[in-house]
């Protein structure tokens, strides 16, 4: 049989095998013939209409379908590459005389492109037309962001499948560690009965990374015997993941930076552009495989580090043969590492020179390095000649691989980039300062003109506004709660409060002359649930804080809602024997969201200050004590601008910034009780305990029991804008349902 006939027969067999491969894939249990994008769209539509089983069905199918398509791509590309390599009988180093023979050169090209066409035919038969297995860039991004799990955690929670809800929430959070709502959801799940630690699983965990992190943890715990199997498994999984990543790089050309219609490269330039893009993608698998969502940056020198851990682990368990093998393998990448060379010399001396000399670096690592260096040479060549950028992801690349001209160019570019980065950084700081100053000026003016909204509830009266209080964004209201409510909340404090609660256990956090006792909303509700305090009193505490929040929102006419930053029912009691000649304050003058330097007349907005706090309020429960007046000052902390005497049902509200320094005068006799509340306009800083309290209230009470009395516009305020009619139960569910 002629060579051409054999080649044609081989191609036909490969194409037939590819078709069989696709048929086998479609018959597998995990295969879903529906396109992932359609299933995802169905899932989001089901979520919008509250069809929770529909969300689960479609999102789970979308995940399976995408996984099946990925597996099909891998199998097809691997099979076709194995059975139809680049012209197996093609001489890749042809005789130079071919350049003198156009006919022979043309035959050489035809044989090469014949191999390309046969590979393409194999892939086409296996994968089907591109439209059958391509996802839109937007949808691919949603899957990479793990968005389906965000929908799934809500849906599973709604249908009471807690184990799956927790796993979905954890999976989404691992990929989105900055997502505050999901963090709060996970905190909430941890408090629920029936939820186990094992339920917090990452359903998208990469096997090689899981094994590596586990092995390193055991290694760090000085358990080398247990660490070795996991580190070896991590290596095996790494090479599998690397091959998969590389295979997935062989996709369509990305015209990023080009207009498709304007792209007019000739045959060989087009081939070069696409092939270099594929090679660059394959090199970047190093970064992808070394990345973990919990880390800002990938693990440095990820693959070589496996051999570093292993050589020392094997040494610790007395296996010098494997220690030498791993040390030599590590030195493939970093041949001048002095510490490793010393380790190798020691292991060699322990095992014996003759036996050690017969041990070679691991073959798969040698092959990996050879292939990687060849790819780097091509990529650096393309960078040098065609200007196609390439950023080497490895620190172990020998300098001789990089052309000298390119080395000098890269050095110059790095220096220029550093200089430009510094200049941009300085410019951005100047711009930010100007914007902050301008924003503050406009915000101050806006606040002055906007305050004075309705007080919402019948019985609440305006006692003092900013003008009377000689400042801005200040208010004093009376009648917020009744005498009976004040007494009940005081009894709750005495029954539930803990010494030093809210102050890291310090019983006298602000002055040694008073003792502080406090209780948070969540703690009170939990004590009520356990029967240790009256549950209705805890519910009243919860409702009162929500009432103050709504009134603050309305009075200051805020365009965005206030979120609880911290809430605390606290009593401060004068220590009788410490009151003689007392000169200190109960709480020195301070600002709630910055660090006050009264001497310099500045307030620095940086941690440890609670910089995210925007509004503050104090609701007093009694007035039968001596001292304890609240007062505002100028930034010097000395010039008092207004003073407020506490009494039952009186609330002081104010913005938390530099415009409102304040303090509390000494309590010299008796006990002063109040609910202190801090609010933020940024939902990312919403108090986690409050979210848990919202959910606990929903569980313990019906909506009718929880909701506050109907808000009543006061006479003359009917034309004032009303806040949104949102029930507490709605607010409580936001963090679970919001995407």
């Amino acid at each position: 049989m002629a060579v051409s006939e054999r080649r044609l027969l081989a191609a036909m067999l490969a194409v037939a095998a590819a078709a069989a491969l696709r048929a086998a894939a479609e018959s597998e249990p995990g295969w879903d013939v529906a396109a992932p994008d359609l299933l995802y769209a169905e899932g989001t539509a089901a979520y919008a209409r509250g069809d929770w089983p529909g969300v689960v069905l479609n999102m789970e199918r979308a995940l399976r379908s995408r996984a099946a398509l990925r597996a099909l791509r891998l199998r097809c590309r691997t099979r076709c590459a194995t059975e139809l390599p680049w012209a197996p009988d093609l001489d890749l180093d042809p005789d130079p005389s071919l350049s003198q023979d156009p006919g022979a050169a043309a035959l050489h090209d035809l044989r090469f492109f014949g191999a390309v066409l046969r590979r393409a035919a194999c892939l086409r038969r296996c994968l089907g037309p591109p439209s059958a297995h391509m996802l839109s860039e937007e949808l691919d991004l949603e899957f990479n962001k793990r968005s389906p799990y965000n929908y799934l955690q809500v849906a599973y929670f709604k249908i009471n499948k807690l184990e799956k809800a927790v796993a979905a929430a954890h999976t989404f959070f691992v990929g989105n560690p900055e997502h505050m709502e999901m963090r709060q959801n996970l905190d909430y799940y941890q408090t629920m009965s029936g939820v186990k630690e094992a339920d917090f699983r990452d359903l998208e965990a990469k096997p090689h990374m899981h094994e590596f992190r586990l092995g390193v943890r055991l290694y760090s715990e000085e358990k080398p015997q247990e660490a070795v199997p996991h580190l070896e498994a991590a290596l095996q999984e790494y090479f599998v993941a690397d091959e998969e990543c590389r295979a997935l790089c062989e996709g369509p050309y990305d015209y990023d930076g080009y207009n498709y219609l304007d792209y007019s490269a000739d045959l060989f330039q087009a081939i070069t552009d696409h092939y270099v893009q594929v090679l660059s993608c394959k090199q970047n698998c190093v970064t992808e495989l070394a990345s973990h969502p919990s880390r800002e940056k990938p693990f440095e020198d990820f693959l070589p580090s496996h051999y570093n851990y292993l050589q020392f682990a094997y040494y610790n368990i007395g296996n010098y043969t494997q220690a030498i093998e791993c040390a030599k393998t590590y030195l493939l990448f970093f041949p001048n590492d002095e510490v490793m060379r010393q380790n190798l010399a020691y292991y060699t001396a322990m095992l014996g020179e003759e036996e050690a000399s017969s041990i070679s670096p691991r073959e798969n690592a040698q092959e990996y390095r050879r292939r990687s260096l060849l790819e780097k040479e091509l990529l650096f060549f393309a960078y040098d000649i065609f200007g196609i950028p390439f950023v080497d992801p490895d620190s172990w690349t020998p300098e001789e691989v990089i052309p000298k001209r390119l080395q000098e160019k890269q050095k110059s570019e790095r220096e220029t980039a550093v200089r430009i980065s510094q200049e941009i950084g300085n410019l951005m700081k100047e711009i930010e300062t100007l914007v902050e100053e301008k924003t503050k000026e406009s915000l101050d003016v806006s606040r002055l003109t906007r305050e004075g909204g309705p007080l919402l509830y019948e019985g609440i009266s305006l006692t003092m506004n900013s003008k009377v209080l000689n400042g801005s964004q200040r208010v004093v209201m009376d009648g917020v709660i009744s005498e009976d409510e004040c007494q009940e909340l005081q009894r709750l404090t005495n029954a539930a409060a803990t010494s030093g609660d809210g102050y890291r256990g310090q019983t006298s956090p602000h002055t040694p002359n008073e003792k502080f006792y406090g209780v948070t909303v969540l703690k009170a509700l939990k004590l009520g649930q356990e029967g240790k305090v009256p549950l209705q009193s805890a519910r009243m505490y919860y409702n009162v804080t929500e009432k103050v929040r709504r009134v603050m929102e309305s009075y200051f006419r805020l365009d965005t809602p206030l979120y609880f930053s911290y809430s605390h029912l606290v009593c401060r009691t004068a220590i009788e024997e410490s009151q003689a000649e007392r000169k200190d304050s109960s709480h020195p003058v301070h600002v709630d969201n910055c660090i006050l330097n009264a001497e310099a007349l500045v307030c620095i907005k940086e941690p440890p200050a609670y910089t995210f706090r925007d509004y503050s309020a104090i609701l007093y429960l009694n007035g039968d004590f001596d001292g304890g007046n609240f007062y505002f000052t100028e930034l010097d902390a000395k010039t008092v601008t207004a003073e407020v005497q506490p009494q039952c049902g009186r609330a002081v509200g104010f913005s938390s910034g530099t415009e409102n320094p304040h303090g509390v005068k000494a309590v010299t006799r008796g006990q002063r009780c109040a609910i202190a509340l801090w609010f933020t306009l940024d939902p990312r800083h919403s108090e986690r305990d409050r979210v848990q309290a919202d959910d606990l209230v929903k569980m313990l009470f019906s909506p009718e029991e929880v909701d506050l009395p109907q808000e009543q516009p006061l006479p003359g305020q009917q034309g004032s804008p009303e806040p949104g009619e949102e029930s507490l139960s709605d607010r409580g569910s936001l963090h679970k349902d919001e995407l």
Side-chain angles (χ1 to χ4, degrees), residues 97-161:
S97 63
L98 279 177
S99 60
Q100 307 298 322
D101 185 351
L107 287 173
H108 188 275
D109 288 351
L110 285 170
R111 290 164 62 195
F112 172 78
F113 283 108
V116 173
L117 291 173
R118 285 188 287 274
R119 174 85 70 89
C122 176
L123 289 168
R124 181 62 173 265
R125 182 63 63 91
C126 185
L127 290 170
S131 59
H133 56 87
M134 294 300 296
L135 297 178
S136 68
E137 188 175 334
E138 294 79 8
L139 183 63
D140 206 39
L141 179 62
E142 290 300 321
F143 277 100
N144 289 334
K145 286 163 52 181
R146 305 188 177 191
S147 295
Y149 293 101
N150 196 358
Y151 290 96
L152 282 169
Q153 69 94 17
V154 176
Y156 277 127
F157 180 83
K158 293 290 187 180
I159 61 177
N160 294 318
K161 291 193 175 182

Side-chain angles (χ1 to χ4, degrees), residues 42-97:
E42 284 293 327
T44 56
Y47 183 91
R49 62 177 181 266
D51 176 11
W52 310 120
V55 174
V56 170
L57 175 66
N58 286 288
M59 286 299 177
E60 291 284 10
R61 286 183 65 196
L63 288 167
R64 287 197 302 271
S65 178
R66 181 172 182 262
L69 283 175
R70 182 182 186 276
L72 179 64
R73 286 195 196 102
L74 290 172
R75 286 196 291 265
C76 290
R77 288 173 183 169
T78 303
R79 175 74 67 85
C80 292
T82 302
E83 297 184 357
L84 291 167
W86 298 116
D89 55 346
L90 182 65
D91 183 5
L92 295 179
D93 294 308
D95 191 322
S97 63

Side-chain angles (χ1 to χ4, degrees), residues 324-510:
I324 290 172
E325 182 182 69
C326 291
K328 287 185 175 181
T329 306
Y330 181 85
L331 288 169
L332 281 175
F333 300 96
F334 298 101
N336 298 319
D337 189 298
E338 192 58 37
V339 173
M340 191 61 71
R341 291 166 70 91
Q342 291 173 4
N343 288 355
L344 179 59
Y346 176 78
Y347 303 151
T348 300
M350 295 298 294
L351 187 65
E353 187 75 38
E354 184 176 349
E355 189 174 349
S357 63
S358 65
I359 301 172
S360 301
R362 294 191 177 182
E363 184 60 37
N364 55 1
Q366 293 185 60
E367 182 182 336
Y368 174 93
R369 181 178 179 276
R370 282 195 298 269
R371 181 183 64 189
S372 183
L373 288 178
L374 282 172
E375 290 176 348
K376 292 177 195 294
E377 287 180 9
L378 291 175
L379 287 164
F380 280 124
F381 179 83
Y383 190 2
D384 189 27
I385 303 302
F386 302 109
I388 303 174
F390 168 60
V391 178
D392 190 354
D394 293 309
S395 64
W396 54 264
T397 305
E399 278 193 7
E400 57 266 23
V401 173
I402 308 172
K404 286 187 177 180
R405 184 174 62 176
L406 196 55
Q407 289 181 32
E408 295 171 0
K409 181 181 177 183
Q410 287 181 327
K411 181 181 178 182
S412 175
E413 287 176 349
R414 282 195 298 269
E415 292 172 351
T416 303
V418 169
R419 178 176 53 79
I420 292 174
S421 178
Q422 290 175 344
E423 291 175 357
I424 291 175
N426 294 334
L427 181 61
M428 289 302 295
K429 286 180 181 178
E430 292 178 12
I431 292 172
E432 286 174 6
T433 302
L434 290 171
V435 169
E436 284 179 4
E437 290 175 355
K438 194 71 178 175
T439 302
K440 184 180 181 302
E441 290 173 6
S442 61
L443 186 60
D444 288 344
V445 172
S446 171
R447 284 175 169 176
L448 282 170
T449 57
R450 287 172 60 85
E451 65 180 271
L455 299 178
L456 299 180
Y457 297 95
E458 189 175 0
I460 300 180
S461 61
L462 178 64
T463 304
M464 288 184 272
N465 59 15
S466 292
K467 185 175 181 180
V468 177
L469 291 165
N470 302 311
S472 65
Q473 291 286 282
R474 300 174 180 178
V475 65
V476 175
M477 299 168 281
D478 282 318
V480 177
I481 57 175
S482 67
E483 187 70 38
D484 289 342
E485 289 172 318
C486 285
Q487 291 176 7
E488 186 171 347
L489 288 172
Q490 273 191 278
R491 287 194 293 271
L492 174 67
T493 313
N494 293 325
T498 302
S499 178
D501 179 84
Y503 300 98
R504 298 178 183 174
Q506 299 179 54
T507 57
S508 301
H510 303 305

